[in-house]
Amino acid sequence: MAEILIRGADHILTMDDQRRELSGADILVRDGVVAALGPGLATTGETVLATGCVVTPGLVNTHHHLYQTLTRAVPGGQDALLFGWLQTLYPIWSRFGPEEMRISALTGLAELALSGCTLSSDHLYLYPNGARLDDTIDAAREIGLRFHPTRGSMSIGESAGGLPPDSLVEDEAAILDDCIRVVDTFHDAAEGAMVRVGLAPCSPFSVSRELMRDAALLARDKGVMLHTHLAENDEDIAYSQAQFGCRPGQYAEDLGWTGADVWHAHCVKLDRHEIDLFARSGTGVAHCPCSNCRLGSGIAPVRRMRDAGVKVGLGVDGSASNDSGNLVSEARQAMLLQRVANGADAMSAREALEIATRGGADVLGRPDCGRLAPGKRADIAIWDTRGVESAGSWDPAALLLAGPTRVRDLFVEGRQVVRDGHLATIDLPRVLDRQRALARALAS
Ligand SMILES: [Zn+2]
């Protein structure tokens, strides 16, 4: 592969082990990895000028439901709490099929890429009308983002006392068979992998105790990660105590759902003991501040988690509960929310950006991503700080205080995905036309 030299950046926030920041420096990319950083580098290949720009590692999204990008701001769910919101949306989602999955994934990933994201996970837990995890993997390959899809599932329908309609749940044996299929077909354990698959029953209230346990056993057997929703709000805690006689952390631990190969979304209501458990066991958290605000779930104790040594990454969550999927804005929201809870010095712009980059990569088991250092993957975001959003800033590298919410350029594995603020890999206006047509059909 030809070299690329990103030259003359005003500022590079490396997020390396020393958290070095470089001024007036270059990044040399070779064969998909960072070859060198520093001033005065040279190349025989392509040069991208980064004068007037701040350069960061690509942002990492640790929780999403890309399919929901087709059901944003649905009137009946706009102001509902979590369980009511789900009951409004389930009947609409039951009409999805493979094309809805592919187009919504393309749209959601495009929005993420434009907001600086180079690596995203996804949690797809319903498979109506022939939809498959494969549909979203196709979309990620087309757009060129690094992708960690998780094979989600729901098995307890309304008739068995669960929340989702029976038409959206699957048989548990069939779920496990398809988990094996997608791991064997798509999972790449190698450094620099573009696709890694995880296993992800939707939540403790939509699958059985047995499926939670079997998924954990299967994940360990296959060497893949585990993901689910946990301790999202007060209703969630009450449900756990009523159904299982314990708090969510205990339930997770009993079923093998703690460890460095597990990450849980939300964790808004983790108590002191659960935070200790997560720190001790290396269990990760996908913090989704906008979704937590949107659904009124509360403020996750991220300051306490970080101080205790819990791995925390950021997630935009499904577009239907955010409803936006802009990852750099999510990072700003994470910073602001910790200040609401703990005071103005509770989280700096740089720490929130660290959570959004290196933090997320660590949650997803990707020490090869989320930082800019020789040998790390060339996943790079270039932010133009000459625009109106940064004008007057005395510290443009404090990007989350005053900075752009879209990247100028984005590289994944050294390949350009966004160029001059536009997607270089897909015809986005065409995708959006199709998205509108599908949304119209679902609404009719
Ligand atoms: Zn979610």
Side-chain angles (χ1 to χ4, degrees):
M1 187 191 287
E3 287 182 348
I4 298 171
L5 181 66
I6 297 168
R7 193 158 68 83
D10 282 10
H11 213 83
I12 302 174
L13 288 156
T14 66
M15 298 296 167
D16 68 4
D17 292 347
Q18 293 77 40
R19 311 297 191 273
R20 282 186 309 150
E21 298 188 11
L22 311 175
S23 295
D26 312 331
I27 303 175
L28 181 64
V29 172
R30 188 184 300 130
D31 296 331
V33 301
V34 174
L37 294 110
L41 303 178
T43 183
T44 51
E46 185 193 345
T47 295
V48 175
L49 275 183
T51 319
C53 296
V54 171
V55 178
T56 68
L59 274 53
V60 177
N61 182 42
T62 59
H63 187 64
H64 208 326
H65 311 286
L66 287 166
Y67 79 91
Q68 296 177 359
T69 313
L70 263 171
T71 50
R72 292 166 144 170
V74 171
Q78 282 183 17
D79 305 315
L81 288 173
L82 177 64
F83 286 12
W85 172 85
L86 283 171
Q87 278 159 336
T88 301
L89 289 163
Y90 281 142
I92 303 173
W93 294 337
S94 69
R95 297 170 61 195
F96 276 41
E99 198 195 1
E100 282 79 5
M101 292 302 178
R102 193 181 77 83
I103 293 291
S104 54
L106 269 177
T107 314
L109 290 169
E111 187 180 20
L112 283 172
L114 291 168
S115 69
C117 174
T118 49
L119 162 59
S120 183
S121 65
D122 187 41
H123 187 184
L124 181 56
Y125 53 82
L126 40 87
Y127 297 88
N129 309 308
R132 300 193 303 170
L133 196 67
D134 316 33
D135 306 320
T136 61
I137 295 171
D138 286 349
R141 282 185 173 152
E142 207 173 323
I143 200 163
L145 288 202
R146 211 179 287 283
F147 194 43
H148 284 208
T150 59
R151 207 302 181 183
S153 51
M154 298 192 292
S155 63
I156 302 180
E158 256 170 339
S159 64
L163 207 57
D166 289 353
S167 64
L168 279 181
V169 303
E170 299 174 274
D171 170 70
E172 296 199 344
I175 290 168
L176 289 167
D177 281 347
D178 198 50
C179 286
I180 293 168
R181 180 187 72 82
V182 293
V183 170
D184 289 348
T185 309
F186 298 110
H187 182 70
D188 179 0
E191 186 168 331
M194 290 298 289
V195 177
R196 280 197 193 159
V197 178
L199 305 186
C202 183
S203 69
F205 56 79
S206 51
V207 302
S208 73
R209 178 185 283 268
E210 290 69 35
L211 185 65
M212 290 294 287
R213 190 189 307 268
D214 288 347
L217 291 171
L218 178 60
R220 303 254 149 76
D221 182 48
K222 294 281 184 189
V224 301
M225 291 189 72
L226 286 164
H227 180 51
T228 193
H229 296 97
L230 203 80
E232 181 166 352
N233 61 13
D234 289 329
E235 286 170 287
D236 205 330
I237 303 291
Y239 185 91
S240 180
Q241 270 162 340
Q243 294 293 312
F244 314 131
C246 62
R247 290 186 52 90
Q250 178 78 55
Y251 188 70
E253 189 181 27
D254 289 350
L255 295 173
W257 276 77
T258 51
D261 55 354
V262 184
W263 85 106
H264 293 287
H266 301 303
C267 300
V268 174
K269 298 292 175 181
L270 287 195
D271 69 11
R272 195 162 44 84
H273 302 292
E274 289 167 318
I275 290 174
D276 286 347
L277 168 67
F278 275 42
R280 233 180 18 250
S281 57
T283 309
V285 169
H287 173 45
C288 307
C290 287
S291 171
N292 298 158
C293 289
R294 158 77 160 82
L295 294 174
S297 303
I299 302 175
V302 171
R303 182 69 276 150
R304 266 182 286 148
M305 291 180 192
R306 295 262 302 169
D307 290 346
V310 176
K311 290 184 294 188
V312 181
L314 274 190
V316 296
D317 202 2
S319 305
S321 69
N322 185 327
D323 298 53
S324 162
N326 184 305
L327 191 51
V328 74
S329 299
E330 197 75 33
R332 176 176 161 87
Q333 186 74 12
M335 171 187 76
L336 295 177
L337 214 47
Q338 289 310 301
R339 293 176 179 217
V340 171
N342 304 302
D345 59 353
M347 185 170 288
S348 68
R350 282 167 168 82
E351 184 181 5
L353 193 67
E354 179 181 321
I355 292 172
T357 51
R358 185 184 172 104
D362 290 347
V363 165
L364 295 181
R366 296 303 298 256
D368 55 338
C369 300
R371 59 272 272 163
L372 298 174
K376 302 297 181 187
R377 311 320 297 182
D379 294 0
I380 300 168
I382 302 180
W383 308 88
D384 191 341
T385 50
R386 290 170 300 188
V388 69
E389 310 91 339
S390 305
S393 172
W394 288 36
D395 179 14
L399 211 56
L400 301 182
L401 287 174
T405 51
R406 279 174 83 140
V407 283
R408 191 196 75 181
D409 297 296
L410 189 79
F411 294 85
V412 181
E413 192 72 1
R415 288 185 286 264
Q416 191 148 18
V417 173
V418 177
R419 180 180 289 118
D420 288 331
H422 296 282
L423 282 156
T425 47
I426 60 166
D427 183 350
L428 185 58
R430 238 181 93 194
V431 171
L432 296 182
D433 279 347
R434 192 63 200 138
Q435 162 100 355
R436 274 187 288 274
L438 291 174
R440 265 199 308 276
L442 287 167
S444 66

